[in-house]
Amino acid sequence: MENNFRKWITGLQHIGVPTDDMEKTIDFYKVLGFQTVLRTVNPEAGEEVTFLRLGDVTIESYENKQAAMVPGALDHIALNVTDIEEVFRMAKEKGFPMLDTKIRFLPFWENGVKFFTVLEPNKEKVEFSQYL
């Protein structure tokens, strides 16, 4: 079977931005016109998580009290996929540096999300994520 990731990737899902102050982060993006579309808690990490959206751009901010606080310190970009199991199989087959040994789940959105993360050549994290 051909490794055609394009078949399963539909575009950018979100950009992960860690924060030490959720309220300041929300206020900043609201000034730019973003709206809060989901505010929840990641039970795995015990962190508050807020998704902010403006048009096609979604920012996932999570208050982990470990934000680098330097330019270029985004945590990850997430690509939306339609078949997380197939993309996971292909990523392993291609030899991508896997940061997750299995597909993970978080109870975000209506039915949750499944995701996994790899490193790209510049050591940036790329998350593959499927809304359920």
Side-chain angles (χ1 to χ4, degrees):
M1 174 179 263
E2 182 182 334
N3 275 328
N4 186 355
F5 284 90
R6 180 63 187 105
K7 179 178 178 180
W8 309 110
I9 298 172
T10 63
L12 179 68
Q13 188 181 92
H14 66 266
I15 302 165
V17 180
T19 183
D20 288 346
D21 188 328
M22 184 62 74
E23 296 309 319
K24 281 185 180 178
T25 299
I26 291 170
D27 290 346
F28 174 81
Y29 284 103
K30 281 189 173 183
V31 167
L32 298 178
F34 283 75
Q35 295 182 328
T36 300
V37 292
L38 177 66
R39 198 161 182 181
T40 188
V41 171
N42 175 347
E44 246 182 58
E47 299 169 354
E48 182 179 0
V49 180
T50 302
F51 288 85
L52 302 133
R53 185 171 295 147
L54 175 63
D56 293 342
V57 178
T58 301
I59 303 289
E60 174 198 25
S61 189
Y62 37 94
E63 192 171 63
N64 63 3
K65 304 294 185 192
Q66 296 175 0
M69 307 302 284
V70 297
L74 294 177
D75 183 63
H76 65 276
I77 64 163
L79 300 175
N80 193 63
V81 302
T82 57
D83 187 336
I84 194 70
E85 287 82 11
E86 181 63 13
V87 173
F88 185 72
R89 182 195 69 73
M90 292 186 334
K92 288 194 310 185
E93 185 178 281
K94 278 289 193 188
F96 290 172
M98 307 292 286
L99 294 179
D100 293 308
T101 57
K102 63 182 181 176
I103 295 170
R104 299 169 56 196
F105 172 84
L106 281 171
F108 296 167
W109 307 104
E110 188 175 329
N111 299 309
V113 295
K114 286 185 176 181
F115 68 99
F116 70 94
T117 307
V118 303
L119 284 179
E120 55 98 71
N122 300 299
K123 305 297 183 208
E124 298 296 338
K125 292 191 277 184
V126 175
E127 175 184 301
F128 297 91
S129 183
Q130 180 179 1
Y131 294 121
L132 302 177

